[in-house]
Amino acid sequence: MTSMTMRVAPATAETWPELERVFGQPGDQATCWCQWFKLTGAEYRATTTAERRDALHGQTSGSPTAGVIAWLDDEPVGWSAVEPYSAYSGLGRSPITRRLEGDPVDDLWAVTCFVVRLDSRRRGVARHLLGGAVEHARSSGARVVEGYPVDPGVRPSLSAAERYHGTVSLFESGGFSVVRRPSATRAIMRLGLDT
């Protein structure tokens, strides 16, 4: 049995062709391109898939970049979106993720989604992506990282498409704690960073 090496790094203009391979697999990511939380519902419906793809291309070409990419050996296998909470206008409008009194806002980064290629699932890719997302946020000045996972322990029938936020157990394995449960199947989880 051969050993495989996983690595995660911030996505860049240079890694864009590899990121396109991750998003080019069948599934919702091939049309969303991680723009759902960036746009209003009307804006999202008014954009084409090509426009969303171009938007992510621009968001991964700047600094800090909009997320991290994972490779298994030299093959791109996954992506996680992570940016300051303020970069995601949709989070503030959602009843699940909007701010409540006392919630952090400054220096808060949000991990909003995971994309793992179908042929690379069940290999720990999401766990590595979450670790890479936390390190990217930390190195960019975040003091708190927040996630919005689903809880298949409450509803085991959650589809793979519904798990793009990550799962409660994934975030727990990364050191995150549940701070509130806005619905039976969703949690707000946070990790404080020592910067």
Side-chain angles (χ1 to χ4, degrees):
M1 182 171 176
T2 60
S3 174
M4 301 185 103
T5 303
M6 183 84 64
R7 68 184 169 93
V8 178
T12 65
E14 291 76 28
T15 62
W16 177 251
E18 294 169 290
L19 192 56
E20 282 186 301
R21 290 176 58 198
V22 171
F23 276 83
Q25 300 290 304
D28 292 338
Q29 79 284 344
T31 57
C32 179
W33 291 85
C34 274
Q35 299 306 300
W36 179 254
F37 294 110
K38 299 272 191 161
L39 306 169
T40 67
E43 289 169 339
Y44 186 86
R45 288 186 297 277
T47 59
T48 66
T49 296
E51 289 169 329
R52 292 181 209 132
R53 183 193 64 233
D54 291 346
L56 183 61
H57 187 199
Q59 293 156 8
T60 56
S61 297
S63 180
T65 183
V68 295
I69 184 171
W71 293 264
L72 189 56
D73 287 336
D74 291 325
E75 187 65 24
V77 294
W79 152 266
S80 180
V82 57
E83 286 187 273
Y85 181 91
S86 60
Y88 299 107
S89 60
L91 292 179
R93 290 188 305 275
S94 167
I96 299 289
T97 56
R98 70 175 170 238
R99 302 290 80 193
L100 299 181
E101 186 175 333
D103 281 346
V105 177
D106 297 332
D107 302 322
L108 170 68
W109 280 50
V111 178
T112 58
C113 69
F114 295 87
V115 175
V116 177
R117 286 179 34 181
L118 292 171
D119 59 359
S120 300
R121 294 187 178 163
R122 300 195 180 274
R123 294 181 171 192
V125 176
R127 184 172 33 85
H128 286 280
L129 284 166
L130 181 58
V134 167
E135 287 311 309
H136 176 52
R138 181 191 319 270
S139 68
S140 300
R143 297 186 66 190
V144 177
V145 180
E146 192 170 81
Y148 316 102
V150 295
D151 192 345
V154 173
R155 193 174 69 149
S157 64
L158 286 166
S159 70
E162 293 174 291
R163 296 174 190 230
Y164 74 94
H165 299 290
T167 63
V168 167
S169 62
L170 168 67
F171 279 85
E172 285 175 339
S173 74
F176 287 70
S177 299
V178 173
V179 293
R180 110 174 134 259
R181 291 266 187 173
S183 76
T185 59
R186 295 291 297 281
I188 306 294
M189 299 184 72
R190 288 192 195 122
L191 176 67
L193 303 179
D194 299 320
T195 54

